[in-house]
């Protein structure tokens, strides 16, 4: 045969619907007389009448024994007959060998098939009858010994159509679909007359290879040969057209069929629609089939259940389940397996478990289907238990089971269990499998075990693109960025075809290096690898490193933007402090046909929260309700946070109370909401309720709780919860927890205790800790401890400009202008600048931003006039006097006053007073801490104007009402 057949095996997935599984066996004449010889050859053409011969072991005839289907018993019967009366063998060898070869093929018993072949060679020589040689080709093909089938076929002197069909079947059984098509073409050239059973075989190959044109040509030949109307040929044609994504032709062919009483025809067209993702159409065909009175079978129910493997079709799936129960097909293992898969993919794991439990007989597919379903639904601990149950039941786990267990172990971060599964794979000879090794690399990466991850990769004899992509991703996830980049260079040196997924993995390894990202971006453009998924990733990483202009440029260049594209750009804006731009981009999304998903809405809620834009936040909340999003998970937590950061903690509480299933993130968000509004006792009550409901707090929860205590002056409570975190929950405090406790002690003027605590900490104090102590020293005028804190802070060479500003202000308060100048020069030398004060206010659904002493606003003159009039009113009625001691600049008193009058929060207030009706609240947000003088100014302003003034600064919320502030002067 041609070299193409000898080396052209393609390992493609088999068809989902087999039009004819026994085309060869139906064409071999198994009722031919049987002969067996011991001493001398008997002509294969000699046909003696068969007769009943009882063995010593039972009273069955040999033919009866063979037809029972047990290969072992059949061979035993031959052995007994042969040794008891070798001269009385008056039955036909051909029939015996034919049946035995068929049994060998059915049971994939290659060794027994080879023994029969040896017997035939000994009896007849190299060339048996065409019939037996054909049976041998069929047996070798079914048993996976394609080379033996090929050799036998090549040396046959005579071939029938059955021989050709057997060889085409061998090609298909062994994945050599190209060889099957080439054999068909050779048959055409040689003029071999085709039969009906040739077409389903070669059509299956065409469907797998997506050879639509060749399939259409074969269709024409089937019509020409008079087999086009044969039902199983039509079924094969329907399946071929469907797999070649030519569903219209498949439907046309089905509709043209005159005889549709055969359920196989209906199963073919239904399965074709399922494979094409047309579930609703598939279910409509099922309804037509039932209305036509065609009896459904196992394949019908399996296809129907596959069509329902989507949460939107779960009710239909349950109806089909009820129909299955009525039709008594529930005991069928294939149907039960499809039920498990359907329920698992729809997220109804309990129903999947119930279907599994009710099965009378479970095969390995049953166990694996439930195991895969548990992993797909993130029930990894349940998957581990199910795997143990599988072993205890006596069912031996196979490759699919092991793959699922490795994946579950990785996602749980359970290194010990992952290593146990790895050992199991080694013991059972599965560790050399490429897919298992790739999954092992991913598991060790997720378990942060870089050593074993690298060991598995380096000991792989065969590596594919997935292997390299997985190891690069694993290195990136474990911050081995240089190793990841080095591996990527090796991939390039080996001239492998890099795909977008690998580029996505290497982008994770770029860290905060903008130049490296640009290099990867250039590589992508040069190789023309930029699909939408990869462009989205590039937008995301540019946003993460602060290169917003590049992110925007890539975003605008994406031709087919999806919701991920928009979300990546929105997130990039938010990450870089451009919340206004994020909101504008979100509103421009309305002009497209793309619908926001929950992730996009959570991102834009963050933008509204950052700007304290209550109106925008409410609009987004309304959108969520109209579109039917459930208030749970990240959506609920984001709404709680948004309302809290927009100054309406009451709305946060309403959202919190609506949610039935509260996770740790929602509880923490609500605790934090109370904390930022100075409601420390409410935060503590929430914490107690949370623990009573057996929700275990984490590091973030305790951080929010300590923050709440700090901003409410709850010193004893804060110290107690700090100890509870360590002693009861065994959570090692982060630097942020220590900073919170230092801040708590410092604000209460327990500076000696705070300083002693910092000096005796088990970890090295961070810049945030010294900053908290220094801030408290400035408030309480403790020069000695403040000097020590400032010295330690300067030695840390921090890159936070706010820390230098705080040190400078402490020195300025003492009149140490030389030291102030030195700190400012140091800032300049480090390339740092003081962050300018910025405030914003939302008026008439529009956000207006003001900088300190800003005059860029279109109504700037009116604002300054209004503010001057209002300040004079406060001086006359409220006794306001500017406290210039809080201006840390070496200028005149009058200049200090003007600086105070020009603070950004006052300009925002002036604009609010100018445009909002009397008596309405005004909400202002500021990027820095509100100064002491402005704090006093707002208290008097709230009393004189008879308004509620709400100010969110960098630390917390201030609710000014009737001359008082919610912070109790503790901020």
């Amino acid at each position: 045969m041609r070299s193409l057949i000898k080396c052209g095996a393609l390992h493609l997935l088999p068809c989902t619907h087999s039009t004819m599984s026994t085309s060869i066996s139906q064409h071999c004449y198994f009722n031919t007389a049987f002969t067996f010889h011991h001493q001398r050859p008997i002509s294969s053409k000699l046909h003696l009448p068969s007769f009943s011969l009882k063995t010593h072991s039972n009273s069955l005839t040999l033919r009866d024994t063979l037809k029972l289907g047990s290969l072992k018993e059949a061979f035993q019967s031959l052995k007994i007959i042969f040794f008891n009366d070798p001269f009385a063998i008056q039955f036909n060898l051909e029939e015996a060998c034919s049946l035995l070869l068929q049994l060998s093929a059915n049971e994939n018993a290659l060794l027994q098939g080879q023994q029969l072949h040896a017997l035939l060679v000994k009896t007849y020589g190299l060339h048996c009858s065409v019939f037996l040689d054909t049976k041998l080709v069929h047996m070798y093909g079914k048993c996976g010994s394609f080379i033996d089938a090929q050799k036998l076929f090549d040396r046959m002197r005579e071939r029938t159509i059955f021989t050709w069909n057997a060889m085409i079947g061998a090609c298909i059984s062994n994945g050599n679909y190209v060889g099957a098509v080439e054999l068909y073409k050779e048959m055409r050239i040689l003029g071999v007359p085709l039969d009906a059973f040739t077409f389903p075989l070669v059509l299956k190959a065409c469907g797998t290879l997506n050879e639509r044109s060749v399939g259409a040509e074969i269709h024409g030949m089937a019509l020409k040969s008079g087999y086009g109307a044969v039902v199983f040929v039509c079924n094969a044609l329907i399946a071929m057209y469907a797999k070649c994504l030519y569903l219209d032709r498949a439907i046309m062919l089905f509709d043209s069929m005159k005889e549709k009483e055969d359920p196989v025809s209906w199963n073919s067209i239904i399965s074709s629609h399922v494979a094409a993702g047309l579930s609703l159409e598939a279910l409509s065909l099922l309804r037509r089939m039932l209305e036509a009175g065609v009896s459904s079978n196992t394949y019908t129910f399996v296809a129907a259940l596959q069509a329902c493997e989507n949460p939107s079709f779960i009710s239909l799936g349950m109806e089909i389940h009820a129909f299955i129960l009525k039709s008594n097909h529930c005991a069928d293992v294939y149907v039960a397996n499809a039920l498990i898969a359907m329920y698992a993919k729809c997220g109804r794991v309990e129903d999947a478990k119930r279907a599994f439990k009710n099965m009378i007989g479970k095969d390995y597919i049953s166990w694996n289907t439930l195991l895969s379903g548990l992993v797909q639904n993130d029930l990894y601990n349940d998957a581990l238990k199910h795997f143990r149950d599988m072993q205890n039941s006596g069912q031996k786990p196979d490759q699919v089971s092991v793959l699922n267990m490795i994946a579950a172990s990785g996602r749980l971060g359970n290194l010990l269990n992952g290593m146990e599964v790895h050992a199991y794979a080694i013991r059972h000879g599965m560790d050399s499998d490429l897919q298992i090794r790739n999954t092992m690399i991913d598991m060790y990466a997720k378990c942060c075990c870089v050593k074993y991850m690298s060991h598995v990769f380096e000991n792989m004899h065969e590596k594919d693109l997935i292997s390299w992509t997985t190891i690069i991703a694993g290195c990136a996830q474990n911050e081995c960025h240089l190793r990841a980049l080095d591996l990527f260079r090796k991939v390039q040196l080996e001239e492998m075809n890099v795909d977008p997924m690998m580029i996505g993995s290497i982008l994770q390894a770029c860290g905060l290096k903008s130049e490296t990202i640009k290099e990867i971006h250039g590589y992508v453009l040069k190789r023309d690898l930029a699909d939408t998924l990869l462009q989205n990733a590039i937008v995301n990483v540019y946003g993460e490193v602060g290169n917003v202009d590049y992110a925007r440029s890539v975003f605008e260049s994406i031709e087919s933007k999806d919701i991920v594209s928009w979300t990546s750009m929105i997130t990039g804006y938010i990450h870089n402090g451009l919340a206004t731009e994020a909101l504008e981009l979100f509103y421009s999304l309305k002009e497209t046909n793309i619908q926001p998903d929950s992730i996009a809405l959570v991102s834009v809620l963050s933008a509204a929260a950052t700007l304290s834009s209550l109106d925008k936040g409410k609009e987004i909340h309304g959108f969520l309700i109209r579109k039917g999003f459930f208030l749970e998970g990240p959506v609920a937590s984001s709404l709680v946070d948004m309302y809290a950061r927009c100054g309406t903690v009451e709305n946060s509480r309403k959202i919190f109370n609506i949610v039935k299933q509260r996770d740790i993130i929602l509880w923490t968000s609500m605790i934090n909401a109370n904390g930022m509004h100075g409601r420390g006792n409410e935060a503590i009550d929430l914490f107690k309720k949370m623990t009573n409901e057996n929700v275990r707090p984490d590091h973030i929860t305790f951080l929010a709780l300590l923050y709440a205590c700090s901003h409410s002056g709850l010193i004893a409570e804060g110290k107690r919860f700090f100890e509870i975190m360590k002693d009861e929950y065994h959570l090692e405090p982060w630097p942020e927890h220590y900073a919170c406790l230092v801040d708590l002690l410092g604000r209460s003027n327990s500076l000696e205790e705070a300083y002693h605590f910092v000096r005796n900490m088990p970890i090295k104090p961070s810049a945030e800790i010294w900053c908290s102590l220094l801030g408290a020293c400035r408030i309480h005028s403790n020069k000695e401890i403040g000097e020590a804190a400032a010295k330690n802070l300067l030695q840390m060479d921090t890159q936070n400009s706010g820390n230098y500003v705080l040190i400078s202000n402490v020195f300025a308060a003492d009149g140490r202008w030389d030291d102030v100048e030195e700190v400012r020069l140091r800032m300049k030398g480090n390339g740092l600048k003081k962050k300018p004060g910025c405030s914003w206010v939302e008026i008439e659904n529009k956000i207006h931003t003001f900088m300190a002493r800003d005059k860029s606003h279109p109504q700037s003159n009116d604002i300054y006039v209004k503010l001057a009039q209002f300040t004079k009113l406060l001086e006359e009625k409220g006794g306001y006097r500017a406290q210039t001691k809080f201006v840390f600049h070496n200028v005149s008193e009058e200049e200090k006053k003007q600086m105070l009058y020009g603070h950004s929060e006052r300009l925002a207030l002036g604009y609010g007073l100018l445009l909002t009706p009397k008596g309405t609240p005004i909400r202002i947000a500021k990027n820095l801490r509100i100064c002491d003088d402005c704090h006093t100014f707002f208290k008097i302003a709230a009393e004189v104007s008879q308004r509620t003034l709400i100010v969110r600064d960098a630390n917390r919320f201030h609710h000014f009402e009737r001359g008082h502030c919610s912070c109790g002067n503790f901020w």
Side-chain angles (χ1 to χ4, degrees), residues 449-468:
C449 189
V450 178
K451 179 181 177 182
Y452 288 154
M453 175 189 75
S454 300
H455 179 76
V456 172
F457 177 78
E458 289 164 4
N459 285 278
M460 291 175 69
H461 299 296
E462 179 189 358
K463 299 182 180 77
D464 62 2
L465 191 62
I466 296 173
S467 312
W468 287 94

Side-chain angles (χ1 to χ4, degrees), residues 878 935-949 959-966 968-969:
H935 194 266
T936 301
F937 181 90
F938 271 80
K939 282 197 295 185
I940 300 171
E943 184 176 21
V944 171
S945 66
Q946 297 296 299
R947 290 180 185 246
T948 297
L949 305 178
H959 294 258
F960 298 99
E961 293 183 274
R962 299 187 184 90
H964 299 281
C965 179
S966 60
N969 299 325

Side-chain angles (χ1 to χ4, degrees), residues 290-583:
L290 297 176
E291 288 172 352
V294 180
S295 60
S296 52
N297 58 23
T298 295
Y299 298 105
T300 313
F301 292 125
V302 169
L305 290 169
Q306 288 174 343
C308 297
E309 290 178 351
N310 184 298
S312 57
F313 293 113
I314 184 61
S315 58
L316 291 172
M318 295 176 76
E319 287 182 23
I320 294 168
H321 188 181
F323 185 78
I324 290 168
L325 292 172
K326 291 177 183 177
S327 61
N328 294 321
H329 274 81
C330 54
D332 190 298
V333 68
Y334 299 107
V335 174
N337 291 343
L339 275 169
I340 297 167
M342 185 266 292
Y343 279 125
K345 289 181 180 178
C346 291
R348 299 178 69 100
V349 181
E350 291 304 317
D351 289 323
K353 288 180 178 178
R354 194 175 299 112
F356 177 82
K357 185 179 179 181
N358 292 335
M359 290 181 71
I360 298 172
K362 303 177 179 72
D363 61 8
Y364 71 97
I365 296 175
S366 314
W367 287 94
N368 284 340
T369 303
L370 182 57
L371 185 59
S372 299
L374 293 170
V375 173
Q376 290 163 8
N377 286 278
D378 302 333
L379 299 172
Y380 307 121
N381 284 314
D382 283 359
L384 294 175
K385 180 181 180 298
H386 178 70
F387 181 75
R388 287 190 288 269
D389 292 343
M390 181 180 184
Q391 291 176 294
N392 293 335
S393 72
Q395 183 70 53
K396 184 179 178 181
D398 63 359
Q399 180 180 330
V400 176
S401 318
V402 171
L403 280 170
N404 276 296
M405 288 314 302
I406 297 168
S409 301
R411 290 167 191 172
L412 281 172
N414 190 330
L415 177 60
L416 181 60
N417 198 83
M419 293 175 74
E420 287 178 358
V421 180
H422 189 175
Y424 180 91
I426 293 171
R427 287 197 305 272
H428 293 83
M430 299 180 191
D431 63 312
S432 59
D433 180 82
L434 181 60
Q435 192 176 4
I436 283 183
R437 289 209 165 196
N438 288 341
T439 313
M440 285 286 186
I441 295 170
D442 182 64
M443 180 272 291
Y444 283 124
K446 284 182 168 61
C447 292
C448 304
C449 189
V450 178
K451 179 181 177 182
Y452 288 154
M453 175 189 75
S454 300
H455 179 76
V456 172
F457 177 78
E458 289 164 4
N459 285 278
M460 291 175 69
H461 299 296
E462 179 189 358
K463 299 182 180 77
D464 62 2
L465 191 62
I466 296 173
S467 312
W468 287 94
T469 302
T470 308
I471 189 69
I472 288 171
C475 289
Q477 291 163 12
N478 287 280
E479 299 186 358
C480 301
H481 297 155
L482 292 177
R483 169 71 171 151
L485 291 168
D486 183 56
L487 286 165
F488 182 64
R489 291 188 190 97
K490 289 181 179 179
V491 169
Q492 292 175 280
L493 290 172
E494 294 191 13
E495 298 182 351
M496 295 178 68
N497 292 322
V498 176
D499 64 358
M501 186 174 290
M502 181 177 288
I503 298 295
S505 297
I506 199 63
L507 281 170
Q508 297 177 42
C510 292
L512 300 177
K513 297 178 181 179
S514 180
E515 293 305 314
T516 307
I517 295 171
K518 289 178 183 178
E519 288 179 16
I520 301 296
H521 187 190
Y523 178 87
V524 168
L525 295 174
K526 184 177 179 181
R527 298 296 181 95
D528 194 26
L529 296 170
D531 62 3
T532 302
L533 185 67
L534 188 52
Q535 287 174 306
N536 294 342
I538 293 172
V539 170
N540 190 57
V541 292
Y542 272 134
E544 287 178 355
V545 300
N547 206 328
V548 181
D549 292 337
Y550 274 83
R552 188 188 299 113
S553 176
V554 176
F555 171 76
E556 291 171 353
S557 71
I558 302 174
E559 293 182 5
S560 302
K561 296 181 181 71
D562 57 15
I563 187 57
V564 180
S565 313
W566 290 86
T567 305
S568 298
M569 193 65 237
I570 289 168
T571 305
Y573 278 135
I574 294 169
H575 181 74
N576 289 279
L578 301 171
T580 303
E581 288 81 352
L583 280 172

Side-chain angles (χ1 to χ4, degrees), residues 743-751 773-783 970:
D743 186 65
L744 175 67
L745 294 170
R747 287 177 185 278
S748 63
N749 202 12
S750 303
L751 289 170
L773 185 61
L774 181 59
C777 290
R778 185 184 68 80
I779 293 170
H780 298 291
S781 302
N782 190 315
K783 296 181 181 180
F970 196 86

Side-chain angles (χ1 to χ4, degrees), residues 100-170:
L100 284 166
L101 285 169
Q102 184 61 40
L103 280 173
S104 299
N106 293 344
E107 297 189 18
N108 197 22
L110 178 61
L111 179 61
Q112 286 79 359
Q114 289 172 332
Q115 289 174 352
L116 285 167
H117 190 186
L119 173 64
L120 290 170
V121 170
K122 184 177 179 181
T123 305
Y124 299 119
L126 284 175
H127 298 287
C128 304
S129 65
V130 177
F131 168 67
L132 285 176
D133 279 345
T134 298
K135 290 299 294 180
L136 283 165
V137 170
H138 174 66
M139 180 276 296
Y140 279 125
K142 286 291 184 182
C143 292
S145 185
F146 178 72
I147 294 175
D148 288 325
Q150 176 184 302
K151 287 179 179 178
L152 186 58
F153 179 83
D154 284 345
R155 71 167 179 255
M156 286 178 69
R157 296 173 180 173
E158 183 184 351
R159 299 169 186 158
T160 65
I161 180 58
F162 313 125
T163 312
W164 288 91
N165 287 348
M167 193 61 215
I168 292 174

